[in-house]
Amino acid sequence: MKRRILSSLGVLALCGGAVLGVTQTATAGETGAQAGYFWLFQHDNYGGSSKNFSGDDRYLNNTNWNGTSSRVDNGASSMKNQTGSDVVLYETNGCSGPTYFARPNSVDSDFSNNNFDNKASCVDFR
């Protein structure tokens, strides 16, 4: 009887440890923490400050990089689209003008090759 109780307690301890291990906090640089967001990055290769979006933001002139007081408007150089949605970036606040198109679950480490470096002023989920 004692052996059965101790065995049951051991199984519960293992299960409890497994549950605790699953709930660990991830950093913004990890895929799990970024999943479900569209990310803009200040520099090429996902460097510098970042800003995550889960929906439209038509006026990036009113949006700051995460943890800063610097505006995102006309300051993005790379992106990660880790959503299931197409995302269109516009050159003008209010979502007009020339565009940049990001397919679902795509990345672009350098907007220069698309002639869109430091031009994003609107984020539009489709």
Side-chain angles (χ1 to χ4, degrees), residues 1 3 6 14 32 39 45 56 58 65 80-81 87 94 99 117-118 122 124:
M1 180 77 154
R3 180 171 269 187
L6 290 175
L14 285 174
W39 290 82
N45 300 311
D56 296 349
R58 300 178 60 83
W65 295 107
K80 291 183 180 182
N81 184 1
V87 177
T99 60
D117 195 34
N118 298 315
C122 171
D124 183 26

Side-chain angles (χ1 to χ4, degrees), residues 39-120:
W39 290 82
L40 287 176
F41 297 87
Q42 190 175 27
H43 301 304
D44 295 345
N45 300 311
Y46 324 110
S49 297
S50 64
K51 178 64 182 163
N52 57 309
F53 302 88
S54 58
D56 296 349
D57 189 333
R58 300 178 60 83
Y59 298 93
L60 294 182
N61 60 339
N62 295 323
T63 302
N64 294 338
W65 295 107
N66 290 336
T68 75
S69 59
S70 298
R71 300 281 188 233
V72 174
D73 190 36
N74 297 320
S77 293
S78 57
M79 72 83 193
K80 291 183 180 182
N81 184 1
Q82 296 180 326
T83 73
S85 302
D86 293 323
V87 177
V88 181
L89 301 177
Y90 289 86
E91 194 172 305
T92 306
N93 281 287
C95 296
S96 64
T99 60
Y100 172 95
F101 193 81
R103 291 268 183 215
N105 301 303
S106 63
V107 298
D108 188 346
S109 63
D110 185 358
F111 285 164
S112 296
N113 59 355
N114 297 304
N115 197 28
F116 214 77
D117 195 34
N118 298 315
K119 293 184 179 181

Side-chain angles (χ1 to χ4, degrees), residues 8-29:
S8 296
L9 288 175
V11 169
L12 286 173
L14 285 174
C15 290
V19 170
L20 290 175
V22 171
T23 59
Q24 65 186 343
T25 304
T27 65

